[in-house]
Amino acid sequence: SHASFLKVLLAALCAALANGLVLSSIHAIQGLTTLRIASADGHIYPATIVRADPTHGVVLLQAVGAQNLTSLTFASVTPRVGDLAIAVAHAPFSPVTLNTGTISSVGITVTLADGEPALHDVLTVDATPDPRQDGAPLLSGNGDVIGVVVDANGSAPGLVALSMSGASALVAAATGGGG
């Protein structure tokens, strides 16, 4: 079913590493009994959870059997209030969605209305929330990943994203430093 697919961007949602690791939000996989990742070219891969980080609202997944996924580049510069932010999502069987806004806060702790634990090291974006973008990468105006959307369901004003410093720490911990 459509609900069993993980939301994806281009070649596998925010493909953090070329070896099939994919970073997403915990919200994007909640309630799913089977995890699958669909790439932009139509390939569908089974997925397993490598590591979950409820404190930051993200999960690192392994796209089993995936090869040559396009990796996105993590930003080398910390985003600032007022910077452009673009959430990009490509849910299977749906067109790519773009949501642009400006960063309204960085490095904060946010408590969402959904009863989940408070999220740390997040940034917020003044943009209209779109549930299809939960788990999507948040890009800078240069196309580099500055965060991962961890709430796009309207639990908080705008979009809430884990900053790339928090996300890259999860990847490094799961891969022995190779993020």
Side-chain angles (χ1 to χ4, degrees):
S1 81
H2 298 275
S4 68
F5 288 91
L6 178 66
K7 298 168 189 168
V8 294
L9 161 74
L10 305 176
L13 182 63
C14 183
L17 302 170
N19 62 0
L21 288 177
V22 175
L23 192 60
S24 187
S25 79
I26 288 175
H27 284 142
I29 65 167
Q30 280 181 332
L32 299 180
T33 55
T34 302
L35 297 176
R36 294 184 185 108
I37 297 171
S39 64
D41 63 5
H43 285 90
I44 298 170
Y45 304 98
T48 59
I49 296 173
V50 175
R51 183 170 289 192
D53 181 355
T55 301
H56 293 104
V58 293
V59 62
L60 187 63
L61 303 168
Q62 175 71 53
V64 179
Q67 296 179 356
N68 301 320
L69 294 179
T70 302
S71 295
L72 299 176
T73 303
F74 289 170
S76 58
V77 177
T78 303
R80 297 179 303 205
V81 171
D83 284 355
L84 174 66
I86 307 162
V88 183
H90 179 215
F93 315 109
S94 299
V96 172
T97 63
L98 297 174
N99 197 349
T100 61
T102 56
I103 296 175
S104 54
S105 62
V106 295
I108 64 169
T109 298
V110 173
T111 301
L112 303 176
D114 62 5
E116 295 291 321
L119 301 176
H120 304 282
D121 192 22
V122 301
L123 52 94
T124 59
V125 178
D126 287 333
T128 303
D130 180 342
R132 295 173 295 182
Q133 294 170 334
D134 200 345
L138 189 65
L139 307 176
S140 69
N142 294 329
D144 296 329
V145 180
I146 56 174
V148 176
V149 177
V150 293
D151 182 67
N153 291 315
S155 296
L159 297 174
V160 178
L162 173 65
S163 73
M164 275 327 302
S165 59
S168 61
L170 175 67
V171 172
T175 61

